[in-house]
Structures are given as C-alpha cells and as structure tokens.
Amino acid sequence: MKSSLFSFLWLASEKLVRIFTGVFVGLWIARYLGPAQYGVYMYALAWVGLFNGIAWFGVGENVIRNLVRNPGSDDEVLGAAFAIRLIGSLSAGVLAVAAMYMVGRRDSELLQLVILMSLAIPFAETPAGIFLFFQSKLAIALPVMLQNVVRVAAAGLRVALILAGCSLPWFGAAVLAEAVGIFLVLFGLYLVRGGRFSTWKFSWHGIRAMMIQGTPIAISALISSLAARVDQLMLGWFTDFVQVGMYGAALRFSEFWWTFAPILMNSLSPKYIFNIADPQQMRRNIMRIKAAMLAISLGPVFLILLVGDYAIPLLLGKQYAAALPVLYVHIFIAVFVFFDAPLAQYLLAGNRQSQLIWKSVFMLSVNALLNLVLVPLQGAVGAALATLCAYALTLLVFYRLVPAYRDLAQLQWGALAFIWRLLRGREHWRTG
C-alpha cells in the first residue's frame, strides 16, 4: 500500500504541474486570445486529439499488466510498444491533417495549428512505453520530476509568447516544443538508467500479440476520443468558434479533474487488481475502490459550485461570462468519470477489454444524437448537457439493460452498499 501511495503522489505531482500549465497558463492564453481565437485553438486541439486513439493503438494499461505478470519480458514488451506507437502516431498525424483538408475547413490559422499539433503526436506518444515501464516498477519519481521540468519550461514559453504578443500559430509550435522535450527526457533517462534500445525485440509475434490484445482497447479509445470531443467539434460545425471558446474556457476549470481518475487507477491496479488471483477478492477491491472514487469526485463539484461565480470573471474577464452556466453543468461529469474508472481495469484484468468497445459506441451514439439536438438550440450549454446525459445513461441504463454488462452494474450497487454500511459503522475499509 505504501508503494502505491508514493506512486500516486508522484503521478499526482505531475498532474498538479499540468494543472498549472493547462489551467492557469491556459486561462491566460484564453484571456489573451479572446473567445473567437481561443475557440480556434481549442477546436484544433480537439481535432488532433480525435486521432490519438490511433496513435497509441491500445498500448497503455496492458503494458503495465504484461510487465507485472511476466518478469523478464521487458525488452519484448518495450520493443512492441514502441513499434506500435511509432506507426500509429505517424498515421494519426497524417490522417489529422488530411481529414481537415477533406472536410473543407481550410482557415489558414486553423490549418497551421493542426499541422503543428500533428507533428507533436509521434514525440508525445512514443515515449509512453518508457514511462509505463518505470511505472510498473513503481520507480516513477525521476521520470515525473523530469517531465515536470519540461512542462514548467513549456509553460514559461507560452507566457513568453503572450508577453511578446505572438499570433495564434505560435501556440501550436509550443505544443510541439513540449512534446519534443518530453521525448528527449524520457528516452534519455532510460539510457542513463542502463536501458539499451539495442536489446529491444521487434518481433512480429510480440507486436502482433500486443496489437491483438490492444485492438479492442484502441477501438474503444478512438470511439471514446470522438465521444469526448464530439461536443467541441459539433459546436464548431453548427455554431461558431466563439461558442467553442466559451465551452473550452469552462473545460479548463472542469475537465482537468478527470485526469486524477486514471492516475489513481494506474497507481492502485498493479497491486489491487492485476495482481489478485481470487476473483471474489478482486470484486471486493473494485467495489471499495469505486466507493472511494465516488467520494473523491464530490470534491471538485462542491469546489466549482462555491467559487465558479468568482473564478471566471476574475480570471477571464466579462468576455467569458457565458462560460459560467456551461461550467456548472459540465463539472458534474466528474462524478461519473471517477465512479466508472475502476471498471476499465476490471474488464482488462478479466480479458474482457472488447466490451469497452460497445460501451463506447453507446456513449458516442447518445452523445452525438443529443448534441445534434441540443447544440443548435443552446450552444455550449447544450453540448455540456449532452455529454453529461451520455455519461449518466451509460452507467445507469446501459450497464443494467445489456446482459454482458450486468456484473458491472452489480459492482456499482455493491460500491454504493459499501458506502452505506461504512456510514452506518457496519463496515471497515479493507482491501486485499
């Protein structure tokens, strides 16, 4: 438990730095650019982010699982992960630019942003296997520290661009510079710590096995990526970039909380999920983790409800006043994100990752349909309502109606029952 706690704290420190760079500096960028240009910037980020599921092609938690369960397989796992991410990230970058041309969005500044951000994809994605390697060994202190240094430097670069009065495309160049910095420090650390690229095994068997294992996760991630960005993309399509800017400003206060859910799960899953042989004990652990995640999710909700009225006018000015109702709707999505996070690891531990696809398809379909109705009527607020309803219907309806997912619904009820017993003093906090 102690090692998992330290792992979480180090990962949390990285996210705290991201909060500074992504929220405080990001809000400064929003204030500097104004709603319309900030909408272009956020639309470009959403567009390029749409293709990231292709870039990593399922090479994520399964790397940690394979390294934990198969000691001595480091070279084969790292070689396969690098090869898949390299090919996937290059493909993603090309597709992002080509698709932008195909849909006819040829605004000069938007295209420049998309090209620069697409160039960043290979640098951002290929070192992920190295970071997951250190994470599987619970030795992430130095990798996180080095990444934090790069992120602070990148934040300083963005501040310098603002103070220098630079134009919008320069902020796309800052995204590329940050990705290159992360690439250099992670691969450099691996070499300094005695790692050798020459020992990596790029066998077709290993690559094929990881691709087969990761394909359901990759498809699910691609669909989830579209589901997470369909609101901003449809806002840009049906309204204008001002609405995208308002929505993006609200997301700066809301969405960064979501990043803590995977941090917690990546810290806990090696010990309390992937390393547990007894299915009943694993289910008990999942229910307790879900209960804790639900409790944690209420923190940001109450915080935003308390300070939202003051935060947006103070940090962004009156030009972003319309972002306030968007924020009040969007922050409640955090409850569903946190509560659902442990189930992905539960499915992965049981080799049921293909079920992630249909869950994501359902969420995407509901989100797209609701956006189609609500965005033309209510703009950015409608997009936030559509996403919130899509999450709620997935967890509260889909899990209960589809037979293959009903054990997930039972885990949800078990977590809620555990909270009730805990509050009444009839249960003690234990994990196996």
Side-chain angles (χ1 to χ4, degrees):
M1 182 65 184
K2 186 177 180 181
S3 58
S4 296
L5 176 61
F6 281 124
S7 178
F8 165 71
L9 291 175
W10 276 111
L11 288 170
S13 75
E14 182 198 16
K15 298 307 175 184
L16 288 173
V17 172
R18 285 196 180 192
I19 288 171
F20 172 75
T21 59
V23 177
F24 294 107
V25 177
L27 291 174
W28 195 353
I29 293 172
R31 188 178 185 118
Y32 168 72
L33 293 175
Q37 279 208 311
Y38 188 62
V40 176
Y41 178 73
M42 292 301 293
Y43 190 88
L45 283 174
W47 182 267
V48 174
L50 178 63
F51 297 87
N52 270 358
I54 300 172
W56 62 277
F57 208 81
V59 179
E61 287 90 348
N62 55 336
V63 170
I64 299 177
R65 185 187 68 171
N66 291 345
L67 290 171
V68 169
R69 290 184 174 179
N70 303 296
S73 64
D74 295 358
D75 289 334
E76 183 175 354
V77 172
L78 289 174
F82 177 81
I84 293 170
R85 286 227 176 188
L86 178 61
I87 296 170
S89 60
L90 291 173
S91 302
V94 172
L95 287 172
V97 176
M100 179 60 70
Y101 273 98
M102 290 175 63
V103 299
R105 303 301 295 261
R106 300 182 183 179
D107 176 84
S108 175
E109 288 188 324
L110 178 61
L111 277 174
Q112 290 178 60
L113 284 173
V114 168
I115 291 170
L116 288 167
M117 292 175 182
S118 297
L119 288 172
I121 295 177
F123 294 104
E125 296 299 334
T126 51
I130 299 294
F131 188 79
L132 293 168
F133 165 76
F134 285 116
Q135 190 172 329
S136 71
K137 310 298 182 185
L138 298 177
I140 60 168
L142 195 52
V144 169
M145 288 174 62
L146 291 173
Q147 285 193 101
N148 287 347
V149 170
V150 173
R151 296 193 192 286
V152 170
L157 173 61
R158 290 179 173 91
V159 171
L161 294 176
I162 293 172
L163 296 177
C166 292
S167 60
L168 183 56
W170 281 99
F171 293 93
V175 173
L176 174 58
E178 182 175 356
V180 172
I182 297 293
F183 176 91
L184 292 174
V185 297
L186 285 179
F187 277 104
L189 177 62
Y190 179 74
L191 292 173
V192 169
R193 284 292 183 89
R196 294 182 180 179
F197 302 134
S198 59
T199 62
W200 285 7
K201 298 177 181 177
F202 299 96
S203 67
W204 170 242
H205 173 75
I207 294 172
R208 180 175 177 273
M210 187 171 288
M211 288 182 67
I212 292 173
Q213 185 184 71
T215 295
I217 305 174
I219 296 173
S220 173
L222 186 60
I223 296 169
S224 297
S225 180
L226 179 57
R229 293 167 176 82
V230 68
D231 40 18
Q232 295 178 70
L233 296 175
M234 293 184 78
L235 269 174
W237 190 267
F238 287 110
T239 59
D240 52 41
F241 287 128
V242 172
Q243 288 293 311
V244 180
M246 295 297 178
Y247 192 82
L251 259 63
R252 287 298 184 186
F253 290 92
S254 171
E255 203 171 50
F256 78 89
W257 293 103
W258 302 6
T259 61
F260 285 95
I263 294 175
L264 281 164
M265 291 314 307
N266 285 338
S267 300
L268 295 171
S269 59
K271 183 173 182 180
Y272 295 106
I273 300 176
F274 297 149
N275 211 30
I276 301 297
D278 180 7
Q280 292 302 318
Q281 184 61 55
M282 183 191 295
R283 288 174 61 86
R284 286 192 293 270
N285 288 353
I286 290 287
M287 286 188 283
R288 283 158 174 75
I289 293 171
K290 283 179 68 66
M293 297 289 277
L294 179 60
I296 292 169
S297 72
L298 299 178
V301 173
F302 289 132
L303 178 63
I304 291 299
L305 293 178
L306 285 172
V307 305
D309 274 336
Y310 309 99
I312 286 184
L314 176 65
L315 296 174
L316 295 178
K318 294 181 179 180
Q319 60 182 337
Y320 283 97
L324 190 57
V326 181
L327 175 60
Y328 284 154
V329 173
H330 201 274
I331 189 60
F332 282 94
I333 299 174
V335 175
F336 297 103
V337 170
F338 273 77
F339 193 51
D340 192 50
L343 295 183
Q345 265 81 358
Y346 173 72
L347 292 175
L348 181 59
N351 289 315
R352 296 168 56 188
Q353 53 265 40
S354 60
Q355 289 183 234
L356 292 170
I357 297 175
W358 300 111
K359 167 200 164 183
S360 300
V361 167
F362 177 83
M363 184 180 294
L364 171 60
S365 302
V366 172
N367 201 1
L369 288 172
L370 291 175
N371 269 284
L372 192 62
V373 174
L374 295 175
V375 164
L377 296 174
Q378 300 185 48
V381 175
L385 282 169
T387 304
L388 176 62
C389 291
Y391 271 96
L393 289 171
T394 301
L395 271 67
L396 302 178
V397 177
F398 180 75
Y399 286 169
R400 286 160 176 76
L401 291 183
V402 181
Y405 295 82
R406 284 177 184 162
D407 62 324
L408 306 187
Q410 292 169 2
L411 288 172
Q412 290 183 161
W413 282 113
L416 295 174
F418 172 75
I419 294 174
W420 177 246
R421 293 194 303 270
L422 196 65
L423 292 173
R424 297 180 67 188
R426 297 184 178 180
E427 185 67 78
H428 299 287
W429 190 272
R430 298 187 305 272
T431 52

